[in-house]
Amino acid sequence: MTPRHAGRRQTEEATVYAVIATGGKQYRVQPGQEVTIEKLTGEVGDAVELVPVLVVGDEGDVTAGGDLEGRAVRATITGHDKGQRIRVFTYKNKSRQHKRRGHRQHRTTVRIEEI
């Protein structure tokens, strides 16, 4: 039986990445990456600081929890848009009651500058 990681390529160079928490979700980000997240206040071009939950350094050292005091992930807002339309339909049998609604979530695209 082969190990679970047998098919993955191992890279020689270590990468720095972080896990950020915003909008009730967590995202794995690296410097230079563009990520679409829940709507943030601010204009296009504004700099924002996101809260890291976990940071992995060059040598593979992991920082999490209370050790992250004063650390932040800096990003720049590159755009605002709306997500895909979601259709919501409620229906009650034998009473001719029905209601159709739609929803489009507001999103923000940010470019990760540094961790």
Side-chain angles (χ1 to χ4, degrees):
M1 183 167 276
T2 60
R4 179 177 255 172
H5 308 291
R8 298 182 185 170
R9 283 193 306 175
Q10 297 294 325
T11 57
E12 294 298 321
E13 59 195 52
T15 57
V16 176
Y17 68 90
V19 176
I20 59 169
T22 180
K25 299 172 186 68
Q26 294 182 354
Y27 302 90
R28 181 185 189 270
V29 296
Q30 293 178 318
Q33 179 182 5
E34 283 205 356
V35 182
T36 302
I37 58 177
E38 297 290 321
K39 184 177 180 184
L40 296 176
T41 56
E43 299 296 321
V44 175
D46 287 352
V48 293
E49 288 191 355
L50 303 169
V51 179
V53 176
L54 175 102
V55 175
V56 178
D58 286 332
E59 293 83 33
D61 51 331
V62 178
T63 308
D67 298 335
L68 291 171
E69 294 288 328
R71 296 188 77 172
V73 174
R74 288 171 188 72
T76 304
I77 297 175
T78 58
H80 296 289
D81 65 341
K82 287 185 177 180
Q84 186 176 359
R85 177 174 286 277
I86 296 173
R87 303 221 183 252
V88 180
F89 190 81
T90 59
Y91 173 78
K92 289 196 176 180
N93 195 15
K94 300 178 184 173
S95 65
R96 295 184 179 182
Q97 248 186 341
H98 63 275
K99 196 176 288 187
R100 183 180 67 201
R101 296 186 209 145
H103 177 74
R104 292 183 73 186
Q105 188 69 28
H106 292 275
R107 304 183 306 185
T108 300
T109 305
V110 296
R111 184 185 327 101
I112 306 300
E113 301 297 335
E114 68 174 306
I115 297 174

